[in-house]
Amino acid sequence: MSHLKKILKSVADGELDIDSAMKQLRSGMYEDIGHSRVDHDRLERNGKPEVVFGQGKTVPQLLDIMNSLAGRGQDVLVTRLSQEKAEKLLKEQPDAVYHEAAKILTLKLSEKKSTDSWIAVVCAGTSDLPVAEEARLTAEFYGNTVKPIYDAGVAGLHRLLADLDTLQEAKVVVAVAGMEGALPSVVAGLVKAPVIAVPTSVGYGASFGGVAALLAMLNSCGSGLSVVNIDNGFGAGYLASMINQIGLED
Amino acid sequence: MSHLKKILKSVADGELDIDSAMKQLRSGMYEDIGHSRVDHDRLERNGKPEVVFGQGKTVPQLLDIMNSLAGRGQDVLVTRLSQEKAEKLLKEQPDAVYHEAAKILTLKLSEKKSTDSWIAVVCAGTSDLPVAEEARLTAEFYGNTVKPIYDAGVAGLHRLLADLDTLQEAKVVVAVAGMEGALPSVVAGLVKAPVIAVPTSVGYGASFGGVAALLAMLNSCGSGLSVVNIDNGFGAGYLASMINQIGLED
Amino acid sequence: MSHLKKILKSVADGELDIDSAMKQLRSGMYEDIGHSRVDHDRLERNGKPEVVFGQGKTVPQLLDIMNSLAGRGQDVLVTRLSQEKAEKLLKEQPDAVYHEAAKILTLKLSEKKSTDSWIAVVCAGTSDLPVAEEARLTAEFYGNTVKPIYDAGVAGLHRLLADLDTLQEAKVVVAVAGMEGALPSVVAGLVKAPVIAVPTSVGYGASFGGVAALLAMLNSCGSGLSVVNIDNGFGAGYLASMINQIGLED
Amino acid sequence: MSHLKKILKSVADGELDIDSAMKQLRSGMYEDIGHSRVDHDRLERNGKPEVVFGQGKTVPQLLDIMNSLAGRGQDVLVTRLSQEKAEKLLKEQPDAVYHEAAKILTLKLSEKKSTDSWIAVVCAGTSDLPVAEEARLTAEFYGNTVKPIYDAGVAGLHRLLADLDTLQEAKVVVAVAGMEGALPSVVAGLVKAPVIAVPTSVGYGASFGGVAALLAMLNSCGSGLSVVNIDNGFGAGYLASMINQIGLED
Amino acid sequence: MSHLKKILKSVADGELDIDSAMKQLRSGMYEDIGHSRVDHDRLERNGKPEVVFGQGKTVPQLLDIMNSLAGRGQDVLVTRLSQEKAEKLLKEQPDAVYHEAAKILTLKLSEKKSTDSWIAVVCAGTSDLPVAEEARLTAEFYGNTVKPIYDAGVAGLHRLLADLDTLQEAKVVVAVAGMEGALPSVVAGLVKAPVIAVPTSVGYGASFGGVAALLAMLNSCGSGLSVVNIDNGFGAGYLASMINQIGLED
Amino acid sequence: MSHLKKILKSVADGELDIDSAMKQLRSGMYEDIGHSRVDHDRLERNGKPEVVFGQGKTVPQLLDIMNSLAGRGQDVLVTRLSQEKAEKLLKEQPDAVYHEAAKILTLKLSEKKSTDSWIAVVCAGTSDLPVAEEARLTAEFYGNTVKPIYDAGVAGLHRLLADLDTLQEAKVVVAVAGMEGALPSVVAGLVKAPVIAVPTSVGYGASFGGVAALLAMLNSCGSGLSVVNIDNGFGAGYLASMINQIGLED
Amino acid sequence: MSHLKKILKSVADGELDIDSAMKQLRSGMYEDIGHSRVDHDRLERNGKPEVVFGQGKTVPQLLDIMNSLAGRGQDVLVTRLSQEKAEKLLKEQPDAVYHEAAKILTLKLSEKKSTDSWIAVVCAGTSDLPVAEEARLTAEFYGNTVKPIYDAGVAGLHRLLADLDTLQEAKVVVAVAGMEGALPSVVAGLVKAPVIAVPTSVGYGASFGGVAALLAMLNSCGSGLSVVNIDNGFGAGYLASMINQIGLED
Amino acid sequence: MSHLKKILKSVADGELDIDSAMKQLRSGMYEDIGHSRVDHDRLERNGKPEVVFGQGKTVPQLLDIMNSLAGRGQDVLVTRLSQEKAEKLLKEQPDAVYHEAAKILTLKLSEKKSTDSWIAVVCAGTSDLPVAEEARLTAEFYGNTVKPIYDAGVAGLHRLLADLDTLQEAKVVVAVAGMEGALPSVVAGLVKAPVIAVPTSVGYGASFGGVAALLAMLNSCGSGLSVVNIDNGFGAGYLASMINQIGLED
């Protein structure tokens, strides 16, 4: 029974007066901490707790939000967090862990068994590692088994083909590449699983900060491929988790 | 056992000489019909027969390819096919069906039961219908149940919220929008399923043929959302089918 | 009392069962005519009936929507309607009026007295007339007095200054210009009223279909100026009407 | 009687010789302080004193301009002022106030009662706060009541709907968002008041420093919505003030 | 004595009352013919009669404007005029001449001796001829001697160097080029005169309708070079005329 | 001995007076036919006769140029020639041959044995054929052996690998692709020869008329790869010919 | 008699052998100092000595070039020179003068009387000063009288009109503006002289580093206006000098 | 006999079991060092050892890769390496050489005689030197003779023409230019050899970091010209080496 229906029912049953109903619609669903409205309904609505976008927020703001989430027993994931801010947060939240390459901070209050099926995270070059790691860590945070295949770009196809089995048996693939962004097209031509393409800003000149790779991926002639924002390893890892956990208890 | 391994094994067993092995690697996998190399291995490799991109091909070329596929008992899907070319093809292939709005031609040689779970295809405005229909027909071609929710743009949210149940219980959502492309973000905030966002070229002025919508979707603050090319209803339908059929026997 | 509150109250009073409440939330607010969901709640929610975007809709679709609106006594405004489609619609709706330059069709079921205060619609060149007319006709459709000042571009400032009084006493100004789009900046420097800037696609070469004018207006050093989409005379006329009618009974 | 007419009249009356008339046209209207021409006529012409754009000016230039304005009893508003420059100015102008988040410095010589009607300033995320604050402070500087609704982006619609009354009863709404910039479209679909959309440069990758949000807002399917430059909180606050004070004595 | 000063003087002398003065300021300077405000002051203010931009104007509008100008004895130049419209105009104005390649229509009421000094108009390829001709005809319309050097692009430098004398003795040079737009840079390195660079939309692929040539010219390492809009032969011819006639009686 | 040195020598030897020397520098090198300067020196200077860019030239202009070249015994190659213009030219030049798919017209006055080494022309899809054919025909026009490998895009790598020998033994490779433009990168990773990448305008949406493929190729991580303009099959064929004939007598 | 002709004549007269002739063609015209080829012919060919582009050159490179020029008695102008490099150069060249705002260094070996006619340099805002100063100093370096009219943007037209006489009597006008770049259009509508428009990178958001202003200027409806690169005060000053000195002995 | 064929043969001969065959296919071809897969097959496949892209890799990663390559006796070339990282690497690899201007580090284990034929590397200005040097050093690393012609831009053509012989007798030309990028077009018009055009990011304003030069080169009317990425001196030097060594034993 949906949240809305429950409240309507309580109103109909006379268990709830109208003003309380309207207040409850609000208070139960987020916490207003001044600068932010922490979305506590999100776990129920979207199946995952709110994720904190670290960039552009101050350390006190971040702490408030972490406390609001952790205070309700929700695991915390902060993305795009600079080393400098992370160090300040760790002093206050010593149980949190900071992953430097991926610029991700996690605070896990529970432990979950990882999935049997796996997500393959492929990346084209060593320079794409930070984005691939952001995807990997995000997916692992949500309880997925991840198998990384790194530095397997199209200029030396045999490096990719060497891990063809891992790739073809994955339930979903995340393919990360900068420069000409050709890797996801090649991967999509080799597998049956959905491929999530992540362009990175690696490159120079006419790569335009990842635009060349982004366009290549959007125009891929490979089927079953979709694209997330440039350097958005988090988004790819999150979506991959969703797909990998289809069929598990929702 | 993979195709490659099988051939290696036959070679090892002396059942196959080297030159034949190399020829077999080739001949079994595609048919060269001059202008095209029809990819017959694709059904096995990608789980789906090759799809024909109708734009930029001549009618004789299209017929050759259709015959090559149908001759091996594979269903045929031709996308981005003009009415004019379709009429010529239908004379030669009277069993094919042309879907005008979606500019898709299908030739089904087999019949498959549709899935129990469904794909929700939401679109923002009536002008986005052709792209939404391309997604719907593609997904149905591959044996999926599709539930359309059309003309449900963010300027009148209640039109979307009215079908919240259909949306929230879908296994995967395709969200189609032109202009500002805000619909997928709003949808992603409401559901637990993956959302495939399709920008359309509907709009004028600074919509730049769909670029405004594309950028909005790539920058979505909603999680679990990925994007395909502008007007790429086919790609969205194909990917949605992949995800919807996860867990069914491949 | 809001629509939502009214329904909640009826539920609390036992006058309405839950399922009916949920149905009512839906049925009262839009009419689903297959290809479209006509938003009948919009008059109440936004103060104006739904406007029909004519581009990309078929004639039968347009007729269905017009009938749905007119059937509830709402005035109808169709924008971006080609002459060809307009002629077909006029056969079915002989009371409607088509304005060729502005590509607008109106069907007025009621007559309203125009406002005492006025909207000044200024345009830079004769080639910008269609967009200026779209703004003027939209504003008049909603019951506003409009004073046009046409062909008053910055290359001959005296042509603008000659009508300074009309300009400076307007309650709101719509300034339409293509090419370098300098007119709104100059106008904003001369008046106390809000200026709505409308870039047009008039120009060639590096005007990029109105982008040059759009950027100029977004970067205006004049204060009290905001911008709508390229060629969006409708949007400017609609917003000007909103502002001009502030203080009148809402 | 306009300034021009007054001077013509004095000439006609013989009270003013021609050269003095021409000089007066000049001297009465601005003060030339070398690097700048401070526009003292602006209060009369535009209803507001000149605003100082702090970026790209040196501290001595800024002081000269502040003195020129304050010396005539005009309130001073400096925008886009770095902390570093602000500290130097405050030493010379200890009565001024610097608002760090919004990078605004104000020097108020008079005190004005705030309006009864209010401006709602909505922003999508915590990272958009600085721009929202620039809008809020600007509007308050000009004597308006402002009600902020912060961190209410479309990924969690209930956070916005919770303050629907404040929003729907505002006389004008400023809607601030980065990333996909969907918030103003959703807001415009919910209210009767004009909506001023402010794209922010918050985001990464294909947000292109706010271009994605800007395009989304320009293409909004919501009516009554217009757009200002990326991060232009000042412009939105200024225009909102203009609209909110319509009907008050000009 | 300026126009303004003359009127002020008449007012001071009592020869003119204030209202007449204000009317005179207006009526003497343009003619309002409804859709257009024909700028009759322009001959005095800018030294040249108003030029008519033919694109986007209807035939009746064009006729009205031509009559307004010719009626006051001013020569008429209409640019960007399609063959179709030109034929209709010529029926009404049989003394006018239409230049098809340049899409220019001229109506000369007076005859002027051409200048002794000349303007060199160089173009890179045969495909650039229409723009070069627009520049040449415009300059000739204003009484200048023009020497064309056509099809002299940088891929065969000797073709340009063959006419080095004509080039180096010109008072001003117009250099027209599409594709990579290198010609003006090379020319500027060879002459002492100002070079007006005109990018054309000739090219394909990454020429982006003339943008490649435009950017090349704006970034020229040659000094004494400035640029006009893509395909703006008129603008170049007009400016060249201005410069060529410096020192002649204005 | 260079052309310049020869003339200097004749002057020194008194065999040539100065004015004749200067004239000779000019007359020997091109023919001025009014609208065009046909570059007869080019065969000597660049090793190949001038090529005629058909687009934007009139039929009479094209005939003049063809006659000027053929009159001196030079083979003629006209590119980007519409079917309509071609038919008119063929009436006057019945020995010429028009290649419809490639939009190329050739007039060969001599016959040359083709090279032993070959150029491989690979293309990604059937829709890229016209550009691949333009490259093939251009290279054959200049006496090269060409081996085409068509419809061998990266979505089905085996189709490319099947012809690996032809590819790896080519002296130079032309790789043609639209959409995501990944083919040249993959090819460059497999061969030792230079790869000339040709982006095509095949695609839709975010392919932006070939820009996506162009950017991918410019950013290729493969070495030994360079790029020509979008759809510039001619340029690729010409350059491939140059490289393939290195070592042959020039 | 041209340089080339002189040498040809010496060869014909037997005064010069061929190898010396060829050497002289080279040595007389530039000095090769390893990293640079200093163009000493430029004074004769272009009427002005070579100008040194300071950006991207090292201090030793700059010194070498300065010495090469000064050693031949040519005045030296270095543009885009950072303060830091300037200080090092001044130690070696104490007679040089560095202009900080304009980032220009000059070394004048001769003194020239300034022209009677003047160049008006107008700029829109105080923030545009550095570019305007670069134009002013460049023009003065070449012996021109310059009259600056600063901070006269279109938001307060009276500030510009106050100096109408200075503007209208100038022989050429340089108009500098950032943001919406409207000033040159307005100026061109008021004067008979050529207007050189200089876009500046002043602005934020959708000004895109001066692109908005650049596009506005390229699309100006004002005649007699041409454009130089963003922030290219030097180019404008140089061209203005050329035009201002027409008619003076070259 | 190819690597693949050899392995197949060993399998057929029973000298190799299947699993070993598959392992050998992998292990022989690259070394997996965790963060990277060093491509040892590349020397055989592409004729050159793998090149290391220094940007975005950490010092330990770079050392690992260098050791992996040098450990197999392969020469090492690291590009885009900052001075800071280079100093750290040199401590560990004292035999390596760092070229500061070109940001290249080389470690040569063997010495090769340079080619008799040469590559001409031309650059337009002194500021383009770093990119030209990257091309020169790369080509020399691979055993080519290189002749540099620096600071020979089109603004002073005689500087280029002075070295015409060196240019015209080169086997291949690398032409490097920023700003308007005209040099390669002019060079291609003068030579018979292939021209590799390298746009640089030198410039300001509308050069957009090298885009203006890139577009100019892609649109060149010169034949036999192809383009590499902005600032990609390495790519040009590598390709030039390939072409220069055609006909030498591969």
Side-chain angles (χ1 to χ4, degrees), chain A residues 169-228:
Chain A
E169 287 160 32
K171 198 152 166 197
V172 53
V173 181
V174 172
V176 180
M179 293 176 165
E180 80 270 61
L183 182 63
S185 286
V186 171
V187 168
L190 296 169
V191 303
K192 291 180 188 173
V195 176
I196 306 168
V198 192
T200 73
S201 53
V202 169
Y204 59 91
S207 84
F208 300 128
V211 169
L214 171 65
L215 293 182
M217 293 172 188
L218 285 169
N219 286 284
S220 176
C221 55
S223 299
L225 183 153
S226 62
V227 188
V228 297

Side-chain angles (χ1 to χ4, degrees), chain A residues 208-209 211 214 230, chain B residues 215 219, chain D residues 201 203-212 230, chain G residues 208:
Chain A
F208 300 128
V211 169
L214 171 65
I230 298 165
Chain B
L215 294 182
N219 286 285
Chain D
S201 53
Y204 59 89
S207 86
F208 301 128
V211 169
I230 297 165
Chain G
F208 300 127

Side-chain angles (χ1 to χ4, degrees), chain F residues 45-46 196 225-228 235 238-240 242-243 246, chain H residues 119-123 160 167-168 170-177 181-199 217-218 220-228 235-237 239-240 243:
Chain F
R45 201 174 69 247
N46 289 141
I196 305 167
L225 185 152
S226 61
V227 188
V228 296
Y238 187 100
L239 175 56
M242 262 189 179
I243 296 174
I246 283 180
Chain H
I119 298 165
V121 175
V122 205
C123 84
L160 176 68
L167 207 62
Q168 289 186 326
K171 199 154 164 194
V172 53
V173 181
V174 173
V176 180
L183 183 63
S185 285
V186 170
V187 167
L190 295 169
V191 304
K192 291 181 187 172
V195 175
I196 305 167
V198 192
M217 293 172 187
L218 284 169
S220 176
C221 55
S223 300
L225 184 153
S226 61
V227 187
V228 297
L239 175 56
I243 297 175

Side-chain angles (χ1 to χ4, degrees), chain F residues 36-237:
Chain F
S36 304
R37 300 181 168 204
V38 186
D39 187 351
H40 294 302
D41 178 60
R42 196 160 150 165
L43 176 58
E44 170 157 338
R45 201 174 69 247
N46 289 141
K48 296 278 157 69
E50 178 158 15
V51 176
V52 188
F53 182 62
Q55 181 182 306
K57 296 207 178 72
T58 64
V59 170
Q61 287 171 343
L62 288 167
L63 262 178
D64 287 353
I65 299 171
M66 287 182 73
N67 288 334
S68 173
L69 287 166
R72 299 197 174 209
Q74 298 191 351
D75 290 346
V76 181
L77 176 64
V78 187
T79 63
R80 307 213 150 228
L81 187 72
S82 68
Q83 172 112 30
E84 194 193 337
K85 284 188 199 169
E87 279 163 12
K88 289 180 187 153
L89 285 179
L90 286 172
K91 281 189 192 141
E92 306 291 327
Q93 292 276 9
D95 293 341
V97 181
Y98 182 62
H99 309 268
E100 189 182 335
K103 291 183 183 295
I104 271 182
L105 180 142
T106 52
L107 177 60
K108 297 217 65 166
L109 304 178
S110 59
E111 210 47 57
K112 238 173 132 172
K113 203 186 137 287
S114 286
T115 54
D116 292 328
S117 64
W118 68 80
I119 297 165
V121 174
V122 204
C123 84
T126 306
S127 308
D128 299 315
L129 265 180
V131 178
E133 284 288 279
E134 193 187 20
R136 182 179 67 80
L137 285 161
T138 298
E140 288 179 357
F141 176 82
Y142 291 120
N144 299 280
T145 298
V146 179
K147 302 202 178 178
I149 306 173
Y150 288 174
D151 195 22
V154 300
L157 274 179
H158 57 291
R159 297 178 305 174
L160 177 68
L161 299 176
D163 280 316
L164 202 52
D165 290 349
T166 305
L167 207 63
Q168 287 186 328
E169 286 160 34
K171 199 153 166 196
V172 54
V173 180
V174 173
V176 179
M179 294 176 164
E180 81 268 64
L183 182 64
S185 286
V186 170
V187 168
L190 296 169
V191 303
K192 290 180 187 173
V195 176
I196 305 167
V198 192
T200 73
S201 53
V202 170
Y204 61 90
S207 86
F208 300 128
V211 168
L214 171 64
L215 293 182
M217 294 172 187
L218 285 168
N219 286 286
S220 176
C221 54
S223 300
L225 185 152
S226 61
V227 188
V228 296
N229 198 359
I230 298 164
D231 289 336
N232 189 4
F234 161 72

Side-chain angles (χ1 to χ4, degrees), chain E residues 180-211:
Chain E
E180 81 269 61
L183 183 63
S185 286
V186 171
V187 167
L190 296 169
V191 303
K192 292 180 186 172
V195 175
I196 305 167
V198 192
T200 73
S201 52
V202 170
Y204 60 92
S207 85
F208 301 127
V211 168

